[in-house]
Amino acid sequence: MYLSLIFILTLIIPFIAMPKHIKMNILPPYRVILLSIMGIGVMTALVLMVASFSGQGLYAQLHEVAKLISADAATNPMIIDALGMKEMSEAEISQMLLTMYDKGFLVLPVAVLLMGAIVSYIAYIILSNIIGKKTEVKKMPKFREFTFPHGTAMAVMIMYIIGWIMLESESEMGEMLFANFSALFDIVFVLQGIAVVLMFFHFKKIPQAIAVVVSGFMVITSIGKTFIVLLGMADMFFGLRLRMGSRPSRR
């Protein structure tokens, strides 16, 4: 129930929160999107609080569902074969799958914000095209021109270090904080790195479709992801795209 509510709010909040800012035509597009994401974050936090006050919290509910799914999957020959678990007992398979689900649930906050960012980005394009028929609005810049605000790199690095310290100190919330801060760290620098790749292909006059495919391939491979994170770091600290001749505006 609560997870469905979060999902619905993530889909509708951008279409409620952004139109007035688009009509005002003052804030840059990515700043409007950021406000939408913040609104989604606040509403998600409220839903999680309500869920915890109502008795069994959302994470406890998800854990119970995961137990049922894991137990059922542990008896499914197709899943066992696909995962190469023939030598494991049913109880071991069930426990391993449950652990995987629980670790996935840890990054729920960042996953919601990432989904909110994607929905907000698409919603801005749709809304700006609709509202733009009646009044002048700021159009969404090309993603290759995107860059995070000043201080973002240092902020996410500090958050990552804090999460790691809490994890090592075996704090009660340490594992969850580190999982989310680590995911946020990756997302920020990966997005920045993708923008660098797109800009590089743009200057080389290579079709952007190829740039998108290359970026996607880099993100899903270990070495490629590491490289694109390093590109993102280098751009945020040393201005790689400025050296290419581009001037990405900070949104």
Side-chain angles (χ1 to χ4, degrees):
M1 171 186 172
Y2 294 108
L3 192 60
S4 298
L5 179 58
I6 291 173
F7 178 76
I8 293 170
L9 289 173
T10 302
L11 292 178
I12 65 174
I13 285 177
F15 290 94
I16 296 174
M18 293 196 297
K20 69 173 183 179
H21 294 293
I22 295 174
K23 289 178 181 177
M24 290 170 64
N25 200 32
I26 297 175
L27 296 177
Y30 287 117
R31 187 65 59 83
V32 176
I33 289 174
L34 178 60
L35 292 175
S36 174
I37 297 170
M38 291 172 62
I40 291 170
V42 170
M43 293 306 298
T44 299
L46 289 175
V47 171
L48 292 175
M49 289 174 60
V50 170
S52 63
F53 291 150
S54 64
Q56 192 180 36
L58 177 59
Y59 285 99
Q61 294 177 30
L62 291 175
H63 178 77
E64 292 302 317
V65 172
K67 283 175 66 176
L68 296 175
I69 296 174
S70 300
D72 183 63
T75 62
N76 190 317
M78 292 181 62
I79 295 177
I80 295 172
D81 289 342
L83 298 177
M85 300 177 176
K86 292 181 180 179
E87 304 301 321
M88 299 174 64
S89 68
E90 183 178 317
E92 289 174 332
I93 296 173
S94 179
Q95 184 57 47
M96 189 183 80
L97 292 174
L98 179 59
T99 301
M100 291 170 58
Y101 279 120
D102 284 341
K103 287 188 178 297
F105 294 150
L106 287 177
V107 294
L108 177 62
V110 166
V112 170
L113 293 180
L114 178 59
M115 179 183 170
I118 295 171
V119 173
S120 298
Y121 184 87
I122 296 172
Y124 188 96
I125 294 174
I126 294 172
L127 291 169
S128 62
N129 285 331
I130 294 173
I131 298 173
K133 293 178 180 179
K134 298 180 180 179
T135 183
E136 183 179 352
V137 299
K138 295 183 185 298
K139 295 295 184 178
M140 180 67 68
K142 300 292 186 181
F143 188 76
R144 62 175 178 263
E145 300 173 9
F146 168 78
T147 190
F148 283 97
H150 288 288
T152 301
M154 191 59 64
V156 295
M157 293 182 78
I158 291 173
M159 291 168 68
Y160 183 91
I161 293 171
I162 291 174
W164 179 80
I165 291 173
M166 295 191 68
L167 178 67
E168 291 299 311
S169 65
E170 299 184 354
S171 169
E172 183 178 350
M173 296 291 292
E175 187 177 7
M176 174 180 281
L177 287 176
F178 180 73
N180 282 277
F181 290 165
S182 178
L184 184 62
F185 178 95
D186 285 345
I187 289 170
V188 167
F189 289 116
V190 163
L191 290 177
Q192 191 82 14
I194 290 174
V196 175
V197 173
L198 295 178
M199 185 63 74
F200 176 79
F201 276 67
H202 172 69
F203 277 114
K204 295 297 181 181
K205 300 188 184 303
I206 300 173
Q208 289 293 286
I210 297 177
V212 171
V213 171
V214 171
S215 298
F217 179 77
M218 293 174 70
V219 170
I220 64 176
T221 60
S222 179
I223 296 176
K225 181 182 173 183
T226 300
F227 180 71
I228 210 165
V229 165
L230 291 175
L231 276 181
M233 287 183 174
D235 188 49
M236 294 182 83
F237 285 112
F238 306 113
L240 279 185
R241 280 175 291 173
L242 289 175
R243 297 175 186 274
M244 292 180 194
S246 166
R247 291 185 174 274
S249 56
R250 297 188 180 273
R251 304 291 179 178

